[in-house]
Amino acid sequence: NAGVTQTPKFQVLKTGQSMTLQCAQDMNHEYMSWYRQDPGMGLRLIHYSVGAGITDQGEVPNGYNVSRSTTEDFPLRLLSAAPSQTSVYFCASSYEPGGYEQYFGPGTRLTVT
Amino acid sequence: GDSVTQMEGPVTLSEEAFLTINCTYTATGYPSLFWYVQYPGEGLQLLLKATKADDKGSNKGFEATYRKETTSFHLEKGSVQVSDSAVYFCALAGGYNKLIFGAGTRLAVHP
C-alpha cells in the first residue's frame, strides 16, 4: 500500500512552459485535492475532486487545470508556467464524504524561472 | 471568511521541555479543528482532531482542546523529544472536503 504518490519530486520550468504534476493513490479514496504551500501562508487549496469525472475549484485555481478520469489518478496541469507558481505542491486524498482526515503525498517542489 | 492564525516560529526548545503552540480561528459556526505535522521532506500527517466544542484531541503525547469561548485550539506536549522537530499546522474544516490551514509553526528540539 503506497498511499499517495507524487511525481516528480523536483522540477524546474521556464516561464511559459507547460507541465503536468502526477498524483496517484491506491486507497480507493473518492476525494482528492491539490494544495500549494508557500512560506508564511500555509497550504492553499487549488482544485479538488469528489469522484471520477467531478472536479471543482478551490481558493487559488487560476493557471491550473485538473481532470479525474479514474479514482486513482488526479493530475494537475500548469498551462503556461509563471514565476508566481514557484511553490511546493501537495496532493491529498480522503475516504469519507466531507472527510477531513486527508492523506498527503510527499510533495513536488516546482521552480519557475 | 474563515481563517486560522498560528503563533510565528521558529520555536526552539530543549528536550523534555513543555511545548505550547497557539492557534486561534475565525469561522462561522463550530467547525472541526485539526493539527497536522510535517516532518522534513515529507507530506503532512494528521496529528489530532476535535469535532465539537470542549472536545480534547490527543495523540503521541500531544493534546489540544477545542475552546469555543476563546476560539482557540492550542497544541501542547508535556515533554518534547528531538524526534518532534517538525512544522505544525493548525487547520479548520472550511466546507465540503476543504481544509483551511494556518501558516505553520516550525519546532526545533535540541538534545
Side-chain angles (χ1 to χ4, degrees):
Chain A
N1 193 332
V4 180
T5 58
Q6 292 183 239
T7 56
K9 289 184 71 74
F10 302 94
Q11 182 71 50
V12 179
L13 291 178
K14 295 188 187 304
T15 297
Q17 287 185 316
S18 63
M19 78 159 296
T20 299
L21 307 185
Q22 301 292 343
C23 173
Q25 52 91 8
D26 61 359
M27 297 174 283
N28 202 33
H29 286 172
E30 291 292 328
Y31 304 90
M32 298 185 74
S33 309
W34 276 102
Y35 294 87
R36 60 178 288 173
Q37 182 181 28
D38 300 296
M41 301 187 73
L43 278 75
R44 293 181 291 168
L45 183 65
I46 305 172
H47 285 285
Y48 66 97
S49 169
V50 299
I54 307 169
T55 64
D56 206 347
Q57 296 181 351
E59 182 183 357
V60 287
N62 292 341
Y64 308 95
N65 272 0
V66 293
S67 60
R68 184 97 178 270
S69 57
T70 67
T71 299
E72 294 77 20
D73 300 299
F74 190 43
L76 178 72
R77 297 183 186 82
L78 281 70
L79 305 175
S80 177
S84 60
Q85 294 180 303
T86 294
S87 187
V88 180
Y89 291 85
F90 289 99
C91 179
S93 72
S94 60
Y95 174 72
E96 298 172 347
Y100 303 110
E101 184 168 349
Q102 298 198 15
Y103 295 80
F104 284 79
T108 294
R109 184 175 294 276
L110 175 68
T111 302
V112 182
T113 61
Chain B
D2 295 352
S3 65
V4 175
T5 302
Q6 289 180 238
M7 64 186 289
E8 289 191 22
V11 174
T12 303
L13 295 173
S14 298
E15 208 165 22
E16 300 184 2
F18 184 87
L19 168 70
T20 299
I21 299 178
N22 290 338
C23 170
T24 58
Y25 67 90
T26 302
T28 304
Y30 303 106
S32 295
L33 301 174
F34 307 84
W35 277 101
Y36 278 80
V37 59
Q38 183 180 29
Y39 297 105
E42 299 183 9
L44 280 71
Q45 304 172 24
L46 179 65
L47 180 60
L48 55 83
K49 67 179 180 181
T51 58
K52 60 183 186 296
D54 299 325
D55 266 3
K56 177 185 284 188
S58 61
N59 186 26
K60 300 182 181 180
F62 291 90
E63 294 183 339
T65 301
Y66 191 139
R67 304 279 189 203
K68 68 176 183 180
E69 301 84 3
T70 54
T71 61
S72 65
F73 192 55
H74 304 322
L75 182 68
E76 295 181 336
K77 187 175 186 183
S79 176
V80 295
Q81 306 299 313
V82 172
S83 57
D84 293 326
S85 298
V87 181
Y88 292 82
F89 291 91
C90 185
L92 65 81
Y96 194 73
N97 207 47
K98 177 181 177 181
L99 287 171
I100 296 173
F101 287 89
T105 302
R106 183 176 300 277
L107 170 66
V109 181
H110 299 289

